[in-house]
Amino acid sequence: MLAAARAAIVVVATWLALTVLLVLLESLLPGPSPHGTPSSTAVMLWLLALLLVPPVTCVALRRWISAGRAGSADQPLPPAPYAGAEQDAPQSGGPAWHATASPAPPSDAQRTIQPPRAPEDPDVWALRQARAEAERARAEAESKRAEAEKARKEEARRRSARNRRFRQTGRRY
């Protein structure tokens, strides 16, 4: 089933649920109204819910809509317990089932043959080496900058202490 069809099913089911909810809850809603007719406020809220709730339910059920099953879109469901089951007819006449937990292996026509992995391109290796060297150089420059900043702060602290001493005593050193 296509994802659009599953989304349409979600929207229609949401609308049906909201309609049933309106019918069931009309007696609980405030306001005088003849039996069987909801108030205009309830109808307006119901119409607003008809517009706003289906997108919320589609977002909540997006995995089912995209994958079409309860599992996630990335991982397939495990095979059924009798996925590779074969039926034999024993001599007694009754059927006998031989089940395996996994499906039969694909035939040679269905298999995709992958060529062996080629050795890595020397240009790619040189590019990786250049990037690694640039990263090392950047890290080294960053550590030198941090050391220079630390030295500058230490010098500013010493200068501040020296100036404070000078203001207090009036002597230079």
Side-chain angles (χ1 to χ4, degrees):
M1 189 179 328
L2 297 173
R6 286 188 292 271
I9 288 171
V10 168
V11 170
V12 169
T14 305
W15 285 345
L16 287 174
L18 287 172
T19 304
V20 167
L21 189 67
L22 177 72
V23 170
L24 291 178
L25 295 179
E26 72 181 17
S27 62
L28 299 176
L29 294 173
S33 62
H35 185 67
T37 58
S39 67
S40 61
T41 306
V43 171
M44 292 305 291
L45 288 174
W46 177 70
L47 289 173
L48 186 66
L50 284 180
L51 291 175
L52 298 180
V53 175
V56 173
T57 55
C58 286
V59 168
L61 298 173
R62 67 184 177 275
R63 284 190 179 167
W64 178 77
I65 291 172
S66 65
R69 58 184 183 268
S72 70
D74 301 333
Q75 298 179 352
L77 291 176
Y82 298 107
E86 301 171 359
Q87 186 177 12
D88 289 341
Q91 293 178 356
S92 65
W97 289 89
H98 301 284
T100 58
S102 61
S107 66
D108 289 338
Q110 293 174 339
R111 288 188 185 155
T112 57
I113 298 174
Q114 305 252 341
R117 218 173 142 192
E120 204 166 288
D121 188 10
D123 293 337
V124 172
W125 185 81
L127 182 61
R128 286 184 184 159
Q129 288 296 102
R131 285 182 182 161
E133 185 61 35
E135 182 64 27
R136 280 193 292 275
R138 187 195 63 74
E140 186 177 324
E142 181 68 24
S143 67
K144 285 182 181 179
R145 187 198 64 74
E147 288 176 17
E149 181 70 19
K150 186 177 178 181
R152 185 190 65 76
K153 286 184 178 182
E154 179 64 23
E155 180 62 29
R157 186 191 63 77
R158 287 183 185 161
R159 192 178 310 121
S160 174
R162 190 175 57 226
N163 288 340
R164 189 172 38 250
R165 231 182 1 258
F166 176 70
R167 282 192 303 269
Q168 290 172 354
T169 63
R171 287 184 280 169
R172 187 55 85 173
Y173 294 101

